[in-house]
Amino acid sequence: MTSDTATQGRQGPTAGEQQPPWQRRLRRFGYLGRTGAQPDVRERLVPPYPEPGTRLWTAAGATPAAARVLARSMGWAGPLLVALFSGLLRFWHLGSPNAVIFDETYYAKDAWALWKYGYEVNWPKEANDQIIAGHTGVTDAAAYVVHPPVGKWVIGIGEWLYGLTPYGWRFMVALLGTLSVLMLCRIGRRLFRSTFLGCLAGGLMAIDGLHYVMSRTSLLDSVLVFFVLAAFGCVLVDRDKARARLAAALPDDPDGAGALPDAEVGDGLRLGLRPWRLAAGLFLGLAFATKWNGAVYLAAFGLMTVLWDVGSRRLAGAGRPWISTLRRDVPWAFLSTVPVAIGVYLASWTGWFAKSGTYSQSLGWQHSGFYRHWAETDGGQSSDGFLAGILNPLRSLWHYEHEVWKFNTNLTSPHTYMSNPWSWLVQGRPVSYFYESPAPGHDGCPVNTADKCAREVLALGTPLLWWAACFAVLYLLYRWAFRRDWRAGAVVGAVAAGYLPWFLYQERTIFVFYAVVFVPFLCLAVAMMIGAILGRPGSSERRRVVGAVGAGTLVLLIAWNFIYFFPIYTGQPIPMDAWRSRMWLDTWI
């Protein structure tokens, strides 16, 4: 066999191969497929980051050497500045309103009880007023709760640091909200290979009203956002690391034209230990142990990594990429995520397991979590022997979770602010967390106000951002379907994982703030759309100017929109006419 023949045998499909008829038909809609000049296969596996420009720093008076250092530092400096801005917003008057607002009545108190007893307890009806007055006494009678413990453990860290106060129970959600902005900047930078677009995505989330309000309210959903976004970042890094190993193993073209696809590498290379995928399993377990809808992301990101591995091996030259992925990658991907996530979930119940309580014939089991001893009492078939201490608590937890499942899937009690998921993307029905109408001269209402004031905390996404995101999601669907853009597919897939499952429960009592879990991915979608508006590198000067004006106008309008609604995100007293002017839709009242 000649060297040319051997080389030809190793190579995968070439760009010049005939396209199937369906691909040729789709070209009229913009489908590109694999036609045209393609970069070197190594560069396609791991696209490099563009060399940062120095023109801005040189114009500011920096020397060429200093300009290069400053430009390269923006990969971290830019995200840190955006995160600093986000943190200042979120921690500004964090303790206001000085009240237990909306579902803080559950999670702030549950978090306190977890840190004190290891399980959630019942509180008296007047507990909220007593807590605001500084009284935190409570019995240890177990309470029935319907969410796993991790989010409440996290909220409790702030209460451990600052006490059972509004600032204390909001501290950790504000901190995680700020760190989420930092992560999104870095994730966007890696996804788009652009520091600007990454920082733009983070900046958009920093000024999204829904994420802002949720970052200042002690609910579980902000904690869920942090863990889901961290998991997405981990699978993204894992993708780059795995593709870099494939790229490094490819043979070089003897003619110096770069690397060649190689069937032996594509089909047979073992990618070894993938710690970032293990980290993803850890964060997905923490998400699942915060709210059960985190399990949807476990499935979605697991499927995403499998599809990415298939694409990576195909590009590296695999003749049977699906079979190779099923043999080489899928078993380890499963072990790296699902068992890890389940282990983390069980570990999150440590306080419930450990507090076994005491037993008396007259009172039964006391000083232990709800259903902690169901197997030994109501279960009727408790295990005996040396494994009883393991099997009985596990059976009790299984029963507890089964009861929670029935509750969560059959919750249909009407609520003033419930909404159908069809209205979420357009923010049709926001949730009022806090509202009062102070009279002139009271509680910050100006003395010269003609009428009373309104003071509200409204969980409303920045409207122009969400409305732009509707178009951005459609654009990304186009990019994924017709341009085969994996970045668009990843972002749309993450939005779908947080959004579509709720359509199965349209009769259930659900709220628009559940949508906060996919806010980061909506911001990535808008950033990607703005990148397209700006124009591709190499576009004409006129095209770039027009794009910059259009993109800049959109971003400025979104920023103005956030500033305009800022008083009703933070509970500031404003005249009633000013409040009414911000109720753009009747359904917002």
Side-chain angles (χ1 to χ4, degrees), residues 41-48 193 239-240 243-245 247:
V41 67
R42 284 201 181 101
E43 188 174 326
R44 292 174 64 194
L45 280 168
V46 188
R193 291 302 196 262
R239 179 185 185 275
D240 277 358
R243 290 168 75 93
R245 291 178 186 175

Side-chain angles (χ1 to χ4, degrees), residues 229-240:
L229 188 58
F232 183 75
C234 288
V235 297
L236 196 61
V237 175
D238 173 73
R239 179 185 185 275
D240 277 358

Side-chain angles (χ1 to χ4, degrees), residues 530 532-535 541-553:
I530 289 176
I533 293 173
L534 286 170
E541 189 70 20
R542 179 183 176 83
R543 170 67 181 84
R544 299 286 284 182
V545 169
V546 171
V549 171
T553 300

Side-chain angles (χ1 to χ4, degrees), residues 334-387:
F334 177 84
L335 293 175
S336 299
T337 52
V338 176
V340 171
I342 293 174
V344 169
Y345 185 86
L346 291 174
S348 72
W349 288 86
T350 298
W352 185 87
F353 283 122
K355 297 292 183 176
S356 59
T358 58
Y359 178 80
S360 67
Q361 290 185 344
S362 59
L363 299 175
W365 287 99
Q366 292 182 295
H367 314 297
S368 62
F370 202 85
Y371 279 140
R372 171 63 177 80
H373 294 283
W374 175 86
E376 297 98 310
T377 54
D378 301 330
Q381 296 180 352
S382 62
S383 301
D384 298 318
F386 72 98
L387 290 178

Side-chain angles (χ1 to χ4, degrees), residues 408-424:
N408 281 325
T409 54
N410 293 283
L411 179 62
T412 56
S413 303
H415 192 285
T416 304
Y417 293 104
M418 63 187 293
S419 60
N420 190 284
W422 285 106
S423 69
W424 287 3

Side-chain angles (χ1 to χ4, degrees), residues 90-121:
R90 280 151 178 73
F91 280 94
W92 180 81
H93 289 185
L94 183 60
S96 177
N98 184 32
V100 181
I101 65 174
F102 198 59
D103 279 358
E104 287 184 341
T105 189
Y106 303 115
Y107 307 123
K109 292 182 288 190
D110 286 347
W112 180 263
L114 275 175
W115 278 81
K116 189 171 184 180
Y117 300 112
Y119 56 89
E120 297 88 342
V121 302

